[in-house]
Amino acid sequence: MLKPAPRPLSVVVALLLLVTTVALSFLTWQANANSEQSLLRRQLAQVGTLLGNEATVLQVQLADMGLVATATEADPGAFARFADRQLDETGQSLSLWRVADGQAEQLAQQGVPPLLPEDGADSLAGLQPTGELVMLGILPGQPDRLAYALMPAEPNTDLVVYAEAPLPPDRRLTVPEGSPLSALDLAIYLGEDGEPENLLQSTVPIPIRGTTETTTVPFGNTSLTVVGASRTHLTGALSAALPWIVLGVGGVLAVGGGMTLEYVSRRRAVAERLAAENERLYRQQRGIAGTLQHALLPVVPEIRGVEVAARYVAGVDELEVGGDWYDVIARGPGCCVFVVGDVSGRGLPAATTMAALRFAVRAYVAEGHDIEEVLSRLRGLLDIGTDHQFATVLLGELDATVGRLRLVSAGHFAPVLVTDGRATMLDCPVAPPVGVSAARPAPATVVPVTTAATLVAFTDGAVERRGETIDTGLERLRAAAADAGSRPLEGMLDDLLGELVTEGNKDDTVLLGLRWS
Amino acid sequence: MELTGGSRARLDVSTGTGGSLMVELAGELDLASLPDVAAPLDGLLARRPQPVVLELTDLTFLDSSGVAVLVRIANHFQQVRTRSATEPVRRVIEVLGLAGRFGLDGA
């Protein structure tokens, strides 16, 4: 079986949910990115503070040496001893210079020999006695060095403390594991332009990738530019994953929602199929009820001179058998007793009452009782006070040989008689139904029928329709009987059923036809 | 008169101006709506026999099961008079030969 295409509604709902999810994910991502950026800025500010402290440390270091040199009147020995304690790192160079008239003269030197700036030691002569750390640039070498100097803030001084600090190989900065900065990719540049040649140190090869943040901090007479990016998510894995979680969960929900809708609507389709199936079963069961009813109803006898046919149609509203019945009891050539009845209510109570009445009629007739007596005796079998049921019964006695019809009715319709294409509702006094106490026995009505005739007895299903008086139904039956009167008896009853029993008819319908000539 | 909820038929009992018992039936009284009136009917049939007036102005449909309700009322109270039956209901009662039994107006 081919998998059916999803329903449009399911797709629309799934898409709407997906769009909402994407929007939510975006917002979450943005919120997270914003907090990432703001966190990164704070961390870079911390880096800047650390670097600023470093500048102060360097400045104090050089200033101290300047003070020592000034105090010792530039005694090389004193400088060397003092500087030696400051050389906490191999590859550093510290030296003391005297500047005058644009010239610089080295007085003392400790550590590795200085590389000196590009324009020579004389560039030191340009320094002012401010006591401020002066950055002199990056000197190429093995390794490259950062050059800086300080001229003590002493009046009339001509001393300059000069220092070179090695930059790490590849200018790679190693941040200890566990440091708050370990989550950052950092690059520190000398100056404010952040040009690659001014790179002092970086944790990764430059340029820094990702979403970067830049900060500058004063460093001596210049500044340092710090470019940073978070290597991992500063806001935490969950926060970073949140947009994806939202997207994922939302996506699942969207697809799930769509699928649920799809499922539900498919279930509805299934339910509708089931309903159709149930209806089929219902019809079948209705058929079973009908079958049961038919089993309780007799096969009409063969009577010489009298043609007999009967129809029973179950109403559609109930699954239970109804209480409608008919019977024809032969009494010799051209003679019979017929009965059409309807027990009120439905189901087993109605069916059993119907069966009891049907066999009672047979028994009373077999005992030779007249139909008046049969009806009287039937009244003793049913009491609405105890049985909550009553039965309408039409009893008829036909003697076709003499053209005489006798009728008694207990709450039942008189039959319709068709002669010569004319149909007549026979008039017959109606006593209360069987089960309802009757003041006096109903006398039989005698109808002489000397010509060929068709008699149709029926139950209320043939004439009762909601929203109209019963007379309308009776007239409809009469007219239909007149129209179909010339048809063969079986066909006539089928015509009448087609005419009278509408789709959705609630009540059972019995038609009993007798035809004689 | 409106019938509330899912019920299609209603049975109300009240005391009329003359002190007689008024039984009002409304809606469509058939096999399917019998449960709607079952409880008030039991209550009604628990009363002592006395003259009863059946008020059927708002009873629009009556099938044989519904007639059975009227018959039980008529049998219990003996003296029954039926007022204001609509034409369809009136004809059902007449066809069943119960017009006299129910004391139908004009019967």
Side-chain angles (χ1 to χ4, degrees):
Chain A
M1 194 174 125
L2 277 175
K3 199 173 170 55
R7 279 138 211 282
L9 183 60
S10 311
V11 174
V12 165
V13 166
L15 282 178
L16 274 177
L17 285 172
L18 270 177
V19 166
T20 311
T21 296
V22 168
L24 272 177
S25 304
F26 176 74
L27 289 175
T28 313
W29 169 80
Q30 209 172 36
N32 183 56
N34 283 344
S35 39
E36 282 277 359
Q37 209 68 10
S38 120
L39 270 174
L40 181 59
R41 266 198 298 279
R42 283 200 210 171
Q43 293 217 326
L44 288 189
Q46 286 181 358
V47 173
T49 307
L50 287 174
L51 290 171
N53 289 344
E54 189 66 20
T56 309
V57 169
L58 291 179
Q59 182 167 312
V60 167
Q61 195 181 34
L62 296 196
D64 282 353
M65 282 188 280
L67 281 176
V68 169
T70 306
T72 59
E73 290 177 346
D75 174 38
F79 178 82
R81 280 194 300 279
F82 189 82
D84 192 47
R85 293 210 299 274
Q86 310 292 326
L87 293 171
D88 52 7
E89 194 182 328
T90 52
Q92 259 191 316
S93 171
L94 285 169
S95 50
L96 182 67
W97 300 73
R98 187 184 300 280
V99 292
D101 304 326
Q103 303 276 312
E105 177 200 355
Q106 183 176 314
L107 301 177
Q109 183 251 321
Q110 199 66 22
V112 298
L115 293 171
L116 295 180
E118 208 176 322
D119 44 358
D122 291 346
S123 59
L124 298 177
L127 267 62
Q128 298 298 316
T130 56
E132 189 192 26
L133 184 69
V134 177
M135 307 307 295
L136 297 171
I138 297 163
L139 313 178
Q142 293 297 330
D144 297 339
R145 294 179 193 175
L146 176 65
Y148 52 96
L150 176 140
M151 192 168 193
E154 297 292 330
N156 308 318
T157 186
D158 51 1
L159 298 175
V160 167
V161 183
Y162 175 72
E164 290 176 4
L167 293 175
D170 299 332
R171 310 201 184 171
R172 188 55 46 87
L173 173 70
T174 308
V175 176
E177 201 72 32
S179 150
L181 302 182
S182 62
L184 294 182
D185 286 342
L186 285 174
I188 302 162
Y189 299 89
L190 187 63
E192 294 187 351
D193 53 10
E195 291 297 322
E197 64 266 22
N198 291 328
L199 177 71
L200 293 176
Q201 282 182 316
S202 70
T203 58
V204 290
I206 57 167
I208 301 295
R209 300 188 182 280
T211 309
T212 60
E213 193 61 31
T214 302
T215 187
T216 56
V217 285
F219 199 87
N221 67 331
T222 178
S223 32
L224 295 182
T225 299
V226 185
V227 178
S230 60
R231 193 179 313 124
T232 59
H233 294 282
L234 302 173
T235 47
L238 178 66
S239 184
L242 201 56
W244 297 105
I245 291 171
V246 169
L247 189 62
V249 171
V252 167
L253 283 179
V255 172
M259 283 173 68
T260 303
L261 194 68
E262 183 72 10
Y263 174 77
V264 165
S265 63
R266 282 201 194 290
R267 287 303 299 176
R268 197 180 64 181
V270 169
E272 281 164 0
R273 274 204 300 280
L274 279 178
E277 173 69 5
N278 282 344
E279 192 177 317
R280 192 186 64 77
L281 289 172
Y282 167 86
R283 286 182 193 284
Q284 196 177 37
Q285 194 165 353
R286 181 66 267 193
I288 291 168
T291 304
L292 180 57
Q293 190 94 11
H294 281 295
L296 292 171
L297 293 175
V299 176
V300 291
E302 299 243 345
I303 303 166
R304 197 191 305 168
V306 182
E307 194 185 347
V308 184
R311 293 289 182 274
Y312 169 81
V313 178
V316 299
D317 216 31
E318 303 292 334
L319 288 177
E320 298 171 312
V321 291
D324 286 19
W325 93 93
Y326 63 86
D327 205 353
V328 180
I329 304 149
R331 264 190 163 175
C335 288
C336 66
V337 168
F338 62 89
V339 56
V340 171
D342 181 3
V343 178
S344 67
R346 299 194 75 86
L348 204 54
T352 50
T353 302
M354 177 267 272
L357 292 177
R358 179 166 97 79
F359 291 112
V361 169
R362 287 206 149 233
Y364 296 145
V365 170
E367 286 174 9
H369 294 294
D370 183 69
I371 54 172
E372 290 177 15
E373 179 62 17
V374 171
L375 186 57
S376 292
R377 291 187 172 226
L378 281 183
R379 292 193 180 277
L381 298 179
L382 196 62
D383 178 11
I384 195 166
T386 53
D387 302 313
H388 295 185
Q389 286 175 329
F390 65 85
T392 65
V393 181
L394 174 74
L395 274 164
E397 182 193 61
L398 173 67
D399 187 345
T401 57
V402 297
R404 189 181 66 163
L405 177 67
R406 294 175 69 239
L407 299 169
V408 283
S409 167
H412 204 94
F413 306 102
V416 60
L417 184 71
V418 186
T419 51
D420 294 331
R422 290 202 320 275
T424 316
M425 279 292 168
L426 293 178
D427 193 19
C428 160
V430 181
V434 170
V436 181
S437 59
R440 60 188 186 282
T445 301
V446 180
V447 183
V449 190
T450 50
T451 58
T454 305
L455 185 80
V456 178
F458 55 94
T459 58
D460 54 2
V463 291
E464 268 185 7
R465 277 190 203 172
R466 222 158 270 249
E468 63 180 35
T469 65
I470 211 151
D471 301 286
T472 310
L474 288 169
E475 171 54 26
R476 184 167 42 237
L477 170 62
R478 194 202 58 76
D483 289 347
S486 58
R487 297 255 291 134
L489 188 59
E490 298 277 351
M492 178 188 175
L493 294 189
D494 289 335
D495 281 5
L496 290 181
L497 282 183
E499 189 74 28
L500 305 172
V501 179
T502 53
E503 193 70 29
N505 205 5
K506 291 185 97 168
D507 221 341
D508 294 2
T509 303
V510 158
L511 291 181
L512 175 65
L514 301 174
R515 180 172 282 177
W516 65 94
S517 53
Chain B
M1 192 180 312
E2 294 295 316
L3 289 168
T4 54
S7 65
R8 294 175 45 237
R10 217 191 53 221
L11 191 157
D12 288 328
V13 181
S14 60
T15 305
T17 47
S20 62
L21 207 57
M22 291 276 292
V23 177
E24 187 183 351
L25 279 157
E28 298 185 341
L29 190 59
D30 57 16
L31 186 72
S33 65
L34 276 190
D36 298 342
V37 300
L41 179 64
D42 287 345
L44 177 66
L45 295 181
R47 293 174 183 246
R48 63 172 176 77
Q50 59 189 293
V52 158
V53 174
L54 286 173
E55 168 62 56
L56 306 182
T57 309
D58 294 310
L59 189 65
T60 55
F61 182 80
L62 188 67
D63 80 345
S64 60
S65 301
V67 171
V69 170
L70 299 185
V71 171
R72 289 177 67 191
I73 294 170
N75 282 358
H76 179 78
F77 290 100
Q78 296 302 323
Q79 281 184 273
V80 175
R81 202 155 59 80
T82 301
R83 281 206 328 217
S84 318
T86 57
E87 191 57 22
V89 169
R90 165 185 295 273
R91 286 297 292 138
V92 167
I93 293 170
E94 285 171 351
V95 165
L96 284 168
L98 290 167
R101 188 77 192 75
F102 290 169
L104 200 65
D105 286 351

